[in-house]
Amino acid sequence: MGRQPSSPLPACYLSGVHEAGCDEAGRGCLAGAVYAAAVILPDDFSHPLLNDSKQLTEKQRQSLRPVIESNAIAWAVATVSAQEIDEINILRASILAMHRALDALTTRPQHIIVDGNRFSPYADIPHLTIVKGDGKYANIAAASVLAKTHRDEAMTLLAEQYPQYGWDVNKGYPTVAHRAAIAQYGPSPLHRISFKLLP
């Protein structure tokens, strides 16, 4: 079981405004797109399981996804492809994915909070970066869960096209088995060529 927060996370940093929490998934992967989510939760939203997605089991993340999607005021998930990552670098790609998720929200946020310490201004909306924010605020944690579950689902489907790399298991992360498959078969069209694919 993943570690649970001692008490439910506050829904957002600023109550009384439409605040979007943003997070990404897949930044350290060798293959596939980087995913990002933006989530606006009601001020009274609370769930005892909700936490940084990395602290949750796959089963917990999957159980939280429909709860988040059905209760959020607005949510969106967006991607930046492996080719785009190679062109602009993974940091800029992660921020671009967040911007694309914000673009897709059906409700315009009045404030944005982002997991980590790097972000680029989005439109004229004030933002705040929060280190380990996915373990502090429910809207960032919710974004973390959606980005992770949507990306894992996509990599599992892509594994059917490229079964030799084991993406249904490793989801594109740099495991020993994944690197061994790259060494044996070479990189796929979905690998990030700008990354160090082999040790």
Side-chain angles (χ1 to χ4, degrees), residues 22-26 32-39 75-81 84-85 93-105 122 143 146-148 150-151 154 192:
C22 293
D23 201 4
E24 53 76 27
V34 63
Y35 276 59
V39 180
W75 66 271
V77 176
T79 68
V80 172
S81 70
E84 290 176 292
I85 291 168
S94 298
I95 294 171
L96 177 58
M98 292 185 205
H99 282 208
R100 287 177 176 173
L102 290 163
D103 286 342
L105 288 174
Y122 176 80
L146 293 193
K148 174 67 173 167
H150 280 261
R151 188 179 191 281
R192 303 173 185 176

Side-chain angles (χ1 to χ4, degrees), residues 1-82:
M1 294 289 287
R3 179 183 64 81
Q4 302 307 313
S6 56
S7 60
L9 302 177
C12 54
Y13 179 78
L14 292 178
S15 60
V17 302
H18 284 152
E19 180 183 84
C22 293
D23 201 4
E24 53 76 27
R27 184 168 169 172
C29 293
L30 302 180
V34 63
Y35 276 59
V39 180
I40 302 174
L41 293 175
D43 284 350
D44 61 354
F45 181 87
S46 180
H47 195 287
L49 277 183
L50 188 58
N51 193 12
D52 168 14
S53 67
K54 295 184 292 297
Q55 301 292 339
L56 302 173
T57 65
E58 182 178 0
K59 184 177 180 180
Q60 288 171 331
R61 291 191 295 268
Q62 291 294 343
S63 70
L64 279 167
R65 175 172 160 178
V67 174
I68 295 164
E69 293 178 353
S70 62
N71 284 276
I73 293 169
W75 66 271
V77 176
T79 68
V80 172
S81 70

